[in-house]
Amino acid sequence: MDITINGQLHQLDIEPDTPLLWVLRDELGMTGTKYGCGLAQCGACTVLVDGQATRSCVTPLEAVAGSQVMTIEAVTQDPVGQKVVDAWVAQQVAQCGYCQSGQVMAATALLKQTPKPSDEDIAAAMINLCRCGTYNAIAAAVRHAAQA
Amino acid sequence: MNEMSPLHKRTVRTPDASPVNLSRRGFLGASLGALVLGVSLTPGGRALAQGAAPAIVPGTRVNAYIQIQPDSTVLFRSAFIEGGQGIFTAMAQIVGEELDVDPTQFVVACAPPGPDYTLIGGLRFTGGSMSVRMSYETMRKLGAAARRMLLEAAATQWKVPIAALTTQPGRVIHAASKRSIAYGDLAKAAAALPVPSNVPLRSRKDFRWIGKPVARIDIRDKSTGKATYAIDLKVDAMLYGAVQHGARLGMEPDALSNEDQVKAMPGVHSVHRLPGAVAVLASSWWRARRAVETLEITWTEAAPGSTVRVMPADYSSEAHLDDLKAHTGDGLAFETHGAVGPALAGAARIVEASYDAPHLAHAQLEPPSAIARFNADGTLEVWAPNQAPEMFQADAAKVAGIAPEKVILHSPILGGFFGRHFLYQSANPYPQAIQLAKAAGRPVKLVWTREEEFLRDALRPMGVARFRAGLDASGMPVALSAVAIGEGATGRWFGRTVDKVDSSAVEGIAGKVYAIANRRVGQIHVDDPAIIGFWRSVGHSMNDFFYETFFDEMADAGKQDPYELRRRLLADSPRHRKLIEAVADLSGGWKRGPFTADDGTRRARGVAMASPFGSEVATIVEVSLKDGEVVVHHVWVAIDPGSIVNPAIIEAQVNSAVALGLSSALLEEVIYENGVPRARNYDGYPILPPDRMPKVHVRIVESGAPMGGIGEPGLPGVPPAVVNAASVLTGKRIRSLPLSRTSLADAAG
C-alpha cells in the first residue's frame, strides 16, 4: 500500500486494517505520535489527514491511502505548525509532555482552518485530554499562536 | 509518606563499596575528556573507586552527577526522574547557579541505580514531593565543588593564583590578563583533581537562576514529539509483546482453545503463559495485541498458597464501602491533644458526620511498558518507567534470578506518574518483559493496553472517616474526635506494624493546624482487597476533604462563617493566618455567598486549608450549579513552601494539582463488581476534560520556613473547597465523592 506521510511516499506491506498510529510508531519509527487509549478518547495520537485533526489510533491504514498525512515530526516544516510550537514554548505548556504532540497537532489543524479562532472555536477544537491539567496553558498558547 | 524512610530503611541493602582497580587513564580515554574523577559507574550501577574505597557519601562525588562535555554543555545525572513536575529544570537551576553554567546548557537524564544517588535518608525515590527539598543543599555544594575544580585547573594552566580567577557562565576568567577559557577546555585537567569540600556557596542575593521563573529545559522537545518515553524505545532484534490478564486478580490461565489459530496469525512469534496472564510475542505491537485478544483463554482460580494477592470473586466497591462504614469505635490513637472525652461530654452541642471517598486510578496518559534484554556478558538490561531505580533493579534481579549488579536499569522520562510507577506487586509490566525475553531468547518490548492498565493499576485506597465535634455555647469547637477507616499505601508496601497507625492513612486528618483544645485522631485498619498505591498527595487526597468539609459543618452548626472560624482558630499561628488571608485577598476578599455573578449565575465560594508534604496551602473555590452538576469557575491558591526554586514551575504544578484534585472531586471513582473493575478505558473512567478546567490563580508566599514540597500540595484543598462551596448552593452537606454520583439541586430552585 502506498501512503504519503510528511510529503514522503512509503510503500508498506502491512495488513490494511492496521491503525495508522502503529504504522507510524512501529513500522516507520515515528514515535512522536503517542498511544494513550486506542479508542479515540484522549487524542494523544492526533495527526493531520488532509489538514483535518484525526485520531490515528482508530484510523485504519487503508483509509489514508491517497491522503496527505502530517505528523508531529514535520510540524515545524509547516508555517502554522511552527507558530504553534513557538507558542507552546513561549507559554511553557508541557508538563509530562505525553499528550502534547496531539495537542500541538490539534492546534495546528484548528489554526490552518480558522486562523483567528474565538474562545468558543478553541474550546470546540481543543478537546484532547491532559492528565497534568495544562488546559489553561494550552488555550493561552493557541491564542498566542493565532496572534503571532 | 513522610514516614516512609524509617519503614523501609530496614530492608535496604548497604551499598557494596568493595574496591576494584580501575585505570584512570583508561577511564578518561573512554570519557572523551569529560570532567570526571578517577571513578566510574559500572553498567550495573555500582560505583567503583580506586584503591581502598571509602564509604560513598551520597551526593558528594562530582563525577557521578556532572560531566562537562568538550562543548561546555553539562551532562547531568539527576537522582530524580522527570515526569512533568519540572525536576530536571530545577536541578539545572540549582547546580547551574553554583557551577556557573546557564541552565539552558544542561542536558539532564535520570541517574542509574547506585549509592551516589540515595539522597533521601540513604534511599532514593521520586515521590512525597521531596526531590528539591531533600537535595537542595547537597546539589548546591556539588555545583560549587565542580566550579572550584575548574578554577584550580585554570590556575595551574595559567600559573596564576586561584584568587585572581573568576567565572562567567561556562568560562573561567583571568581579568588581569584578559584571558578566558571555556569549561569544556578545562574538563580534562579538572578531572585529575580531588573533589574539594566546604567550598563557599553563592549568596542568595546574587542568585541569577534560583528563585527565578527559568524556562523549562524540556519544553521544545515535548512540543515537537522529540521527547522519548519508555514506550518509544526500541532495541535491535526485539519482539513486541502484548498481554491479556485474568480479569480478576489471582486467576491463572488454563486452556487456550485456539492457540494454533492464534500462532498462525500474521507476525506472531510465540504464545506464553505467565503468572496471571497470557502473552503473545510478534513482529509488531499491533499484531501482538490483536493476537492476544483473539486468544480464547479459560481462567482458573489461583492455586492454594499462591503468592499473588487474590481478589475475592464476590468483591464489590459497594460492599467494601459498607464494610468500612460498619466498623465502629475510635480506633488506634495517632494524635491526641487535651482530653477529648470529657470535652465532648461537657459540650453544649455535638456535631457528627461520616464521609467517604472511592478508589481512584492514576490514569496517566502513557500506558506502562518495559523492554528487557539479556546481554551476552550475563547482564540484563531493563528500560522501565519507575520512580525508584534501586528498588526496581533489586526486584528485576530477583525475577531474572541474577545478582542486582547484573541488572542495568534505564529510567526514561515518565508520561505522567502521580504515584503510578512505584514498585507494586502485579502492577508493573517489567517482570513479564523479563520472563518473556528469557523464554524467547530475544529482547522483548512489552506494552500494556489502556485496558490492561485499568485492570492492573494500583489504586488510591478507598476511605471512610467519622467525626464528632463538641461546640461550646458560643459555637466555638472545643473538642474534635476523628477516626479514619481503611488502609494506607505506605503500610501496604513498606510494612505495617499492628499496634502502630500508618501515617499515610490519617495524614490530612492528623496534622491540622487549628487550635481546637481537645482533639483525637484515630485509625481503624481494614484490609483493602484491591491493589492500592500512592496517588498524588496520598492520604491527603481524601483526608483533607473529610476534615475540611466537616470543619464547615462545625462552623454552620455553631453559626460561624467558615472563613472567619478558621482565622480565629489560627490566631496563634501567624504563618497559617497570613496564608488564609493571602488567599482571601487573592480572591478579592472573602465572600461565601450565595451571590449572583455578572452572567446571572448563582454562585458560592468555599475555603479549605491543608498542610501537605512540608508546605502550607490555602484554597478558595467559586462554583455554580448547572444541570445537576457543579461548575467550578475559579480556584485561588496561596501556597507557602517556605522558600522556592522556580515560581513558574510552582504555578504550573499548582494548576496541575488543581486539575487532578478537581477531577477526583467531580468525576473519578474505580468501581469493582464481582472482583473486577467496571471501567477499562477513559470512556468508563472519565477524567477532567478541558471544558471543566477552571481559571486558576496562584500566589506564592515565601515565609522562610524550611523548604516544603511542590508537586502534591496544591491538590488536597481543592475537593473540600469545591464541596464546601457547592453545599452553600444546595443547602445540604455532601459527604461522598465524586460529585457525579449525585444530581445536585440548587436550594433556591
Side-chain angles (χ1 to χ4, degrees), chain B residues 61-91:
Chain B
R61 297 200 306 172
V62 167
N63 70 286
Y65 286 85
I66 296 171
Q67 286 193 8
I68 297 178
Q69 306 295 102
D71 67 357
S72 298
T73 57
V74 176
L75 176 60
F76 185 79
R77 292 191 184 100
S78 167
F80 307 103
I81 187 64
E82 175 65 60
Q85 80 280 41
I87 191 62
F88 282 3
T89 302
M91 287 290 134

Side-chain angles (χ1 to χ4, degrees), chain A residues 15 34 92 96 131 135, chain B residues 216 229 232 287 668 688:
Chain A
E15 299 87 293
K34 301 304 186 198
Q92 296 279 295
C96 89
R131 188 57 160 166
Y135 298 130
Chain B
R216 287 185 49 157
Y229 305 82
D232 300 325
R287 286 168 169 159
E668 295 184 34
L688 193 77

Side-chain angles (χ1 to χ4, degrees), chain B residues 558-602:
Chain B
K559 300 201 173 359
Q560 313 254 346
D561 176 83
Y563 171 80
E564 291 302 334
L565 180 59
R566 284 176 173 85
R567 269 185 78 240
R568 285 181 69 179
L569 293 175
L570 296 173
D572 296 327
S573 183
R575 184 184 184 191
H576 301 100
R577 184 160 171 148
K578 186 179 167 194
L579 196 66
I580 196 170
E581 289 171 352
V583 77
D585 179 61
L586 183 66
S587 67
W590 168 249
K591 54 172 179 178
R592 193 184 195 192
F595 57 90
T596 303
D598 292 343
D599 65 358
T601 56
R602 193 167 168 269

Side-chain angles (χ1 to χ4, degrees), chain B residues 307-329:
Chain B
T307 55
V308 174
R309 198 181 176 90
V310 176
M311 174 61 88
D314 62 352
Y315 175 80
S316 73
S317 302
E318 197 182 350
H320 185 58
L321 182 59
D322 288 345
D323 181 37
L324 295 181
K325 286 178 174 171
H327 281 75
T328 55

Side-chain angles (χ1 to χ4, degrees), chain B residues 409-434:
Chain B
L409 179 75
H410 304 273
S411 305
I413 61 167
L414 305 172
F417 61 125
F418 322 114
R420 172 65 184 89
H421 296 301
F422 283 108
L423 195 64
Y424 302 124
Q425 185 195 34
S426 73
N428 307 106
Y430 68 86
Q432 297 171 341
I434 292 169

Side-chain angles (χ1 to χ4, degrees), chain B residues 506-532:
Chain B
V506 292
E507 60 187 9
I509 297 174
K512 299 300 288 190
V513 292
Y514 307 112
I516 298 173
N518 304 287
R519 54 190 198 269
R520 179 188 189 277
V521 177
Q523 196 233 352
I524 299 173
H525 174 89
V526 180
D527 276 330
D528 194 326
I531 299 291
I532 56 170

Side-chain angles (χ1 to χ4, degrees), chain A residues 15 17 19 22 25-26 31 34-37 39 41 72 86 92 95-98 100 126 131-132 135-136, chain B residues 83-84 216 222 229 231-232 285-287 290 361-362 416 418 449-450 652-653 656 660 668 681 688 694:
Chain A
E15 299 87 293
D17 59 349
W22 296 104
R25 290 182 57 82
D26 286 356
T31 55
K34 301 304 186 198
Y35 168 55
C37 68
L39 276 188
Q41 292 286 313
I72 189 74
D86 289 344
Q92 296 279 295
Q95 290 191 23
C96 89
Y98 194 77
Q100 298 297 345
M126 301 303 295
R131 188 57 160 166
C132 300
Y135 298 130
N136 289 334
Chain B
R216 287 185 49 157
K222 287 179 172 177
Y229 305 82
I231 202 169
D232 300 325
W285 186 75
W286 180 253
R287 286 168 169 159
R290 186 145 47 181
H362 291 94
F418 322 114
T449 60
R450 176 58 59 189
Q653 283 303 291
S656 176
L660 201 61
E668 295 184 34
N681 209 315
L688 193 77

